[in-house]
Amino acid sequence: MQVYEELKARGLIAQVTNEEEIREMVNNGKAVFYIGFDPTADSLHVGHFMALCLMKRLQMAGNKPIALIGGGTAMVGDPSGRTDMRQMMTPETIQHNCDCFKKQMSRFIDFSDGKALMVNNADWLLNLNYVEFLREVGACFSVNNMLRAECYKQRMEKGLSFLEFNYMIMKSYDFYELYRKYGCNMQFGGDDQWSNMLGGTELIRRKLGKDAHAMTITLLLNSEGKKMGKTSSGAVWLDPNKTSPFDFYQYWRNVDDKDVLKCIRMLTFLPLEEVDKMDQWEGSQLNKAKEILAYELTALVHGEEEAKKAQEGAKALFTTGGNTENMPTTTLTDDDFTDGELGLLDLMVKTKLSPSKGEARRLVQQGGVSVNDEKITDPTKRLQKADFAEGFVIIKKGKKVFHKAVLSNE
């Protein structure tokens, strides 16, 4: 099976323009394609997984990826799918986030010897002359058509700034510049970016002629992919300092039964023949599928060694006397105790299972916290050092988050 057909079989393609031409270019390694990433944080999260895996698959087939970092558009904000205006960031923060992105992307994409590029749209957007830009680019866009775009319709009633209204034009100009400077002939993006992407394709044709080859593909369920990166306690990050490899593994180990096979098909690099056999799995077999998904993706992001540690730590949660060595751990000292006691709410804040004592109190009162498999509903609960009979206690938050609190020997 060739790569374009595999992308479709894995459920990664939703809409395309010029499908036959796109198929020929992708299958023959002729695509120079870009996907954009907004540097709104100093780490990518699992909502970016679909795009990163797609770039890796296409590069393995001989195509050339361009990771476009939105250092310029980040200073304006993307109205797509949002109900409020994004907070402004300083140029220094944006640059720091861009640097972090490249380090993480390098686990997926080979940037050596020009095999892939990372570029920042600040390089051309920040130097534009406003009047010249309006004359050369603004004249190519119909305001009526822009207002019909879903990304703007969603925001019209709640309020849309003129700053954000420029976003489509700027994103379209990105494709135009990438086409001219790097021979970029294809763009990929989420279903929430379809209008912006079509704008870029049209701009190239209007400026460079109808024979200019500029093509557009949108990823299936990319908006769902973005939601996939969120939990009740925040995002699931690729940075191990933000989300530990264990917690990352646990996130995927606990996906819904209805989603696990879809995630394996879309996000792992297991052969399709092997994945097709899993489509028949049900009941307890789905737990095995979740373990496979969690291991494969943890290894992809954090390496085989960390994936094995996370897998061992996860198994220890369900095995009497299991090895808890690789579970996320916080070490407690005598200074954390008062008269030999430590409040449960203080412990939850100390272990970062809760951002505040108020939030910890709510979780306890709702029955969402256990200590050594005993559910605690009293927020005034205080732990004695005697409770650390084996030198540690295991705190469980909800059904998916575990943490080990260890007494220091010093």
Side-chain angles (χ1 to χ4, degrees), residues 331-337 350 385 406-408 410:
T331 301
L332 305 175
T333 67
D334 287 339
D335 292 338
D336 294 310
F337 291 80
K350 174 75 175 179
K385 285 192 175 181
V406 180
L407 281 181
S408 172
E410 299 180 359

Side-chain angles (χ1 to χ4, degrees), residues 256-271:
D256 289 339
D257 288 356
K258 62 182 176 63
D259 293 329
V260 59
L261 295 177
K262 178 173 63 178
C263 288
I264 288 176
R265 186 175 294 278
M266 286 182 163
L267 304 179
T268 75
F269 287 79
L270 295 174

Side-chain angles (χ1 to χ4, degrees), residues 228-273:
M228 186 166 54
K230 304 290 185 180
T231 69
S232 59
S233 58
V236 179
W237 304 100
L238 305 195
D239 183 343
N241 295 315
K242 287 176 167 287
T243 298
S244 71
F246 177 87
D247 288 333
F248 187 86
Y249 179 97
Q250 281 295 99
Y251 172 79
W252 294 108
R253 174 62 181 80
N254 290 290
V255 298
D256 289 339
D257 288 356
K258 62 182 176 63
D259 293 329
V260 59
L261 295 177
K262 178 173 63 178
C263 288
I264 288 176
R265 186 175 294 278
M266 286 182 163
L267 304 179
T268 75
F269 287 79
L270 295 174
L272 273 175
E273 296 81 1

Side-chain angles (χ1 to χ4, degrees), residues 14 62 97 99 134 147 184 217 263 268 275 303 386 408:
N97 293 349
D99 294 339
L134 288 179
L147 290 174
C184 180
I217 295 180
C263 288
T268 75
V275 179
S408 172

Side-chain angles (χ1 to χ4, degrees), residues 381-398:
K381 169 74 175 178
R382 300 185 68 79
L383 279 74
Q384 317 291 323
K385 285 192 175 181
D387 293 321
F388 296 75
E390 298 183 17
F392 63 87
V393 296
I394 303 296
I395 311 162
K396 180 180 177 182
K397 184 180 78 170

Side-chain angles (χ1 to χ4, degrees), residues 199-369:
T201 298
E202 182 62 23
L203 177 61
I204 289 174
R205 290 174 178 167
R206 292 193 63 172
K207 296 294 292 182
L208 302 177
K210 293 183 179 179
D211 293 333
H213 290 286
M215 303 175 197
T216 300
I217 295 180
T218 180
L219 305 184
L220 179 65
L221 300 175
N222 191 260
S223 292
E224 182 176 322
K226 291 179 180 180
K227 295 175 185 176
M228 186 166 54
K230 304 290 185 180
T231 69
S232 59
S233 58
V236 179
W237 304 100
L238 305 195
D239 183 343
N241 295 315
K242 287 176 167 287
T243 298
S244 71
F246 177 87
D247 288 333
F248 187 86
Y249 179 97
Q250 281 295 99
Y251 172 79
W252 294 108
R253 174 62 181 80
N254 290 290
V255 298
D256 289 339
D257 288 356
K258 62 182 176 63
D259 293 329
V260 59
L261 295 177
K262 178 173 63 178
C263 288
I264 288 176
R265 186 175 294 278
M266 286 182 163
L267 304 179
T268 75
F269 287 79
L270 295 174
L272 273 175
E273 296 81 1
E274 185 177 338
V275 179
D276 288 340
K277 294 177 182 178
M278 295 181 191
D279 281 339
Q280 309 304 317
W281 289 10
E282 56 185 20
S284 62
Q285 290 178 304
L286 292 178
N287 287 327
K288 177 62 177 176
K290 292 178 185 181
E291 291 176 1
I292 292 171
L293 173 68
Y295 183 86
E296 291 292 326
L297 297 189
T298 305
L300 186 61
V301 175
H302 299 295
E304 294 280 348
E305 183 177 351
E306 290 297 331
K308 289 177 182 177
K309 289 180 180 179
Q311 188 177 59
E312 291 171 3
K315 287 181 178 179
L317 298 175
F318 307 101
T319 306
T320 303
N323 180 13
T324 62
E325 179 182 351
N326 298 310
M327 192 181 297
T329 300
T330 297
T331 301
L332 305 175
T333 67
D334 287 339
D335 292 338
D336 294 310
F337 291 80
T338 302
D339 297 328
E341 296 182 337
L342 174 61
L344 176 59
L345 304 186
D346 292 313
L347 179 58
M348 292 185 65
V349 173
K350 174 75 175 179
T351 56
K352 297 183 179 178
L353 288 173
S354 180
S356 67
K357 290 177 68 172
E359 175 64 15
R361 178 183 299 276
R362 183 185 66 80
L363 288 168
V364 171
Q365 290 174 332
Q366 293 179 349
V369 177

